[in-house]
Amino acid sequence: SWVIQLKNPDGKPVQNAKLNISGGMPIHGHGLPTAPCVTINLGDGKYLIEGVRFNMAGWWKMKVLIDDGLHKDNVTFNLVLK
């Protein structure tokens, strides 16, 4: 399980956003073996993400699409699992 906290540029929590979480291994050309999703909106801009699983070591790229109803944004980050 992961907790993601979202804030706007002013530092205020992003409330009631819809998140789409995906990921994969660019070198191997495949995605995650699961379909992560938000299971609980924890309030204060925090969201519980469950279902993130990795099936092998190596370089993974994770992407979170964010839609708060007024704005859309995304973040991509890298993980290296050993």
Side-chain angles (χ1 to χ4, degrees):
S1 299
W2 292 12
V3 174
I4 293 178
Q5 184 173 25
L6 303 174
K7 294 182 180 183
N8 68 18
D10 296 329
K12 294 180 183 170
V14 176
Q15 304 288 6
N16 302 312
K18 293 183 181 180
L19 307 180
N20 183 329
I21 299 95
S22 61
M25 294 189 85
I27 292 174
H28 293 269
H30 64 76
L32 290 168
T34 57
C37 64
V38 173
T39 55
I40 301 173
N41 180 340
L42 299 168
D44 197 34
K46 295 179 184 174
Y47 302 85
L48 179 64
I49 310 298
E50 294 188 275
V52 178
R53 305 275 190 280
F54 303 100
N55 58 344
M56 63 191 325
W59 171 40
W60 290 83
K61 282 183 98 170
M62 298 295 295
K63 187 169 189 175
V64 181
L65 302 176
I66 306 158
D67 182 351
D68 73 355
L70 296 174
H71 304 95
K72 292 182 181 181
D73 204 348
N74 67 73
V75 62
T76 301
F77 58 96
N78 296 288
L79 295 171
V80 177
L81 301 179
K82 295 184 179 195

